[in-house]
Amino acid sequence: MKLQSRDIGFLYANLRMRSRLLRSVLLAGGMLFPASAFAADLDGSRLGLVWALPFAGILLSIAIFPLLAPGIWEHHHGKIAAFWGALIAAMLLLTTDPAIAAHALLHTALHEYMPFILLLLALFTVAGGIVVAGNLHGSPAMNTLLLAIGTGLASLIGTTGASMVMIRPMIRANDNRRHNVHVVVFFIFLVANIGGSLTPLGDPPLFLGFLRGIDLFWTTKHLFPETLFTAGVVLAAFFVLDTLLYRREGVKRTDPTPDKPLRITGGLNFVLILVIIGAILMSATVDLGTVTVLGVPMALQGLARDAIMVVVTVISLKTTPKTSHEANGFSWGPIREVAVAALFAGIFATIIPVLAMLRAGSAGPFAPLIALVTGPGGSPNNAAYFWLTGGLSSFLDNAPTYLVFFQMAGGDPGYLMREGALTLTAISAGAVVMGEHTYIGDAPDFMVYALAPPAGVKMPSFFGYMLWSGCVLIPTFVLVTLIFFRG
């Protein structure tokens, strides 16, 4: 939602009235607000924890408002996100050289926010034009097969795209079942989360890692064993549970969906998926030089990749029949939540000083947190990285959570891909596969939750769902820790 003119006037008047007071407070804050903290650059060792409050504020707003005040969040989430983003921008501008502050904000916007949003937009639009029509019958074997297909698809078209493509066929296949809640719950586990572990296309945290310098196929190679094991255990648990419930049901209810042969349509969208993958490959392997945009050096291959995402989006919209979008229930709501309402813009802005403090390591204010993920002799505690990244990703957004722990592990992609490979694997796996502990851990989780009740699936409450995830996933992740992350 956009700010009304009277709101803008009110904010502007208040900013003028309070700017001198804010500047005085910031500059007089001693250890919390050292006056020279930004004299040369964002020196995280000279910042206090107050600089992390806007980041914590926006993440807690995303986590708490939809639960405790859904009406306020629905109508004012843009203003709330804008407030936190404006707060950190004001703190930067009032305590440092405006040129340094502007460069930090522009660097984040051009190098991370825009590529992130454009990739999501392209995948979201292309997936919205692929329709799986017809009616399947939800036997345990068929359901397990559909979940396995969706899990694999998630790394190619993203967890959001795979969820959009697969959730309606999944619900239709089980609409005559007396017990079908568990089908959607496991769908969230597998398709909306675990399946996105293998490529930067799969889940936003991995794409941010790619933008930070992680090789395109690094995640495929290093996360494959963990992903295969995790998905295999969860699929096996589903098959056993679904078989027991299927046998208990006896005679099924009359199927409300007429029998029609399975048919997958998408036209040019299948080709556009290949174009997206090709654009990512091109940006990772070709050096076209650099150009300066608003004072920020930009790689031309990155700009070309971003331009291709825009072209792909436009072509998909122009060539996809309206009936296909209607069959998928396609709307701009989910992507508008991410981009237009400025949620991620606020997140990317407020995380700037947090990353600077993490860069400072044990000399910065996050020294106690760094101690938690550091073993004897300074070696990384990979199990702690896995659980802390995953635990926070369950309640906060997993993309900025990934960045926090990526930076905590040193932030050097060359080191993390080689000597620190197990640590980066733990961070990546935690950010992606643990988002399903709650409905708010990842955007596709809530999207699937919203689509299921209108289709007749009585989804569990917030805490009821957490009971499901705790019983199924916690034991699974304990096994993952013991097998893969003990070192």
Side-chain angles (χ1 to χ4, degrees):
M1 176 179 291
K2 295 181 179 179
L3 292 172
Q4 302 296 321
S5 58
R6 64 175 181 273
D7 298 319
I8 297 173
F10 176 77
L11 290 173
Y12 176 69
N14 274 269
L15 180 61
R16 289 188 61 187
M17 183 173 60
R18 300 180 185 181
S19 61
R20 289 188 179 182
L21 175 61
L22 179 58
R23 179 185 289 273
S24 299
V25 171
L26 291 176
L27 296 179
M31 291 184 66
L32 292 179
F33 298 106
S36 60
F38 295 91
D41 202 350
L42 297 182
D43 183 1
S45 66
R46 308 186 68 183
L47 299 179
L49 289 176
V50 166
W51 287 92
L53 291 182
F55 178 66
I58 193 170
L59 292 185
L60 289 173
S61 298
I62 294 170
I64 294 173
F65 269 101
L67 298 176
L68 301 184
I72 294 176
W73 182 251
E74 180 182 356
H75 293 97
H76 300 288
H77 54 266
K79 296 177 184 178
I80 294 169
F83 165 77
W84 293 115
L87 178 60
I88 199 64
M91 292 169 68
L92 287 170
L93 290 170
L94 293 172
T95 57
T96 185
D97 186 326
I100 295 175
H103 184 271
L105 293 169
L106 282 171
H107 187 278
T108 298
L110 295 176
H111 278 274
E112 292 175 356
Y113 176 69
M114 288 308 299
F116 172 81
I117 291 299
L118 291 175
L119 174 67
L120 282 183
L121 177 64
L123 288 172
F124 178 83
T125 306
V126 170
I130 298 174
V131 180
V132 181
N135 188 32
L136 299 169
H137 297 284
S139 67
M142 177 58 69
N143 284 336
T144 304
L145 177 62
L146 289 175
L147 287 176
I149 292 172
T151 302
L153 194 62
S155 282
L156 295 177
I157 61 174
T159 51
T160 298
S163 296
M164 285 187 61
V165 170
M166 296 296 297
I167 185 58
R168 286 181 176 83
M170 198 84 207
I171 292 175
R172 285 198 304 268
N174 292 276
D175 55 8
N176 67 325
R177 295 274 303 270
R178 288 180 173 82
H179 301 290
N180 56 14
V181 172
H182 67 290
V183 176
V184 181
V185 168
F186 275 83
F187 184 95
I188 293 175
F189 294 167
L190 290 157
V191 182
N193 289 274
I194 295 171
S197 301
L198 297 181
T199 73
L201 299 172
D203 215 39
L206 302 183
F207 187 66
L208 289 181
F210 171 77
L211 294 177
R212 288 292 177 110
I214 302 302
D215 291 344
L216 180 62
F217 293 110
W218 187 94
T219 52
T220 307
K221 177 182 177 181
H222 287 82
L223 270 73
F224 184 79
E226 292 84 351
T227 303
L228 183 64
F229 177 83
T230 305
V233 170
V234 177
L235 279 170
F238 171 80
F239 180 78
V240 171
L241 176 62
D242 199 36
T243 299
L244 293 174
L245 293 175
Y246 192 79
R247 290 175 178 173
R248 284 180 57 187
E249 289 177 1
V251 179
K252 306 296 182 292
R253 295 180 295 186
T254 303
D255 194 341
T257 305
D259 273 340
K260 293 181 180 178
L262 183 66
R263 189 163 57 94
I264 302 175
T265 60
L268 191 58
N269 287 293
F270 294 110
V271 177
L272 293 177
I273 290 176
L274 298 179
V275 173
I276 293 173
I277 295 172
I280 300 294
L281 281 170
M282 177 273 298
S283 68
T285 56
V286 176
D287 185 0
L288 300 177
T290 60
V291 64
T292 300
V293 179
L294 299 176
V296 178
M298 299 287 294
L300 283 172
Q301 62 269 22
L303 292 175
R305 175 200 62 221
D306 297 343
I308 291 171
M309 299 304 167
V310 175
V311 172
V312 162
T313 301
V314 173
I315 293 175
S316 178
L317 288 173
K318 293 292 185 181
T319 60
T320 300
K322 183 179 180 181
T323 53
S324 295
H325 280 158
E326 291 174 348
N328 270 337
F330 181 86
S331 75
W332 293 111
I335 202 69
R336 188 164 54 242
E337 284 287 313
V338 173
V340 179
L343 290 180
F344 274 87
I347 289 172
F348 277 105
T350 56
I351 203 174
I352 291 172
V354 174
L355 296 181
M357 288 186 280
L358 289 170
R359 275 197 302 269
S362 58
F366 286 126
L369 183 60
I370 291 173
L372 289 176
V373 294
T374 305
S379 61
N381 185 333
N382 298 312
Y385 270 112
F386 177 64
W387 283 95
L388 285 173
T389 307
L392 290 175
S393 294
S394 298
F395 295 92
L396 307 175
D397 191 86
N398 62 356
T401 301
Y402 170 92
L403 281 183
V404 165
F405 285 93
F406 183 94
Q407 196 65 52
M408 192 179 298
D412 179 0
Y415 170 81
L416 289 173
M417 285 190 293
R418 295 188 297 271
E419 295 89 343
L422 189 58
T423 301
L424 182 57
T425 300
I427 294 169
S428 303
V432 176
V433 305
M434 283 202 193
E436 67 266 49
H437 279 310
T438 69
Y439 285 133
I440 60 174
D442 207 1
D445 302 0
F446 202 81
M447 183 186 74
V448 173
Y449 167 76
L451 289 172
V457 181
K458 297 179 180 179
M459 293 297 290
S461 65
F462 181 83
F463 293 105
Y465 174 83
M466 287 185 65
L467 182 61
W468 273 97
S469 64
C471 291
V472 175
L473 298 175
I474 295 297
T476 302
F477 295 143
V478 168
L479 289 175
V480 169
T481 304
L482 293 174
I483 296 172
F484 298 105
F485 299 130
R486 286 189 299 173

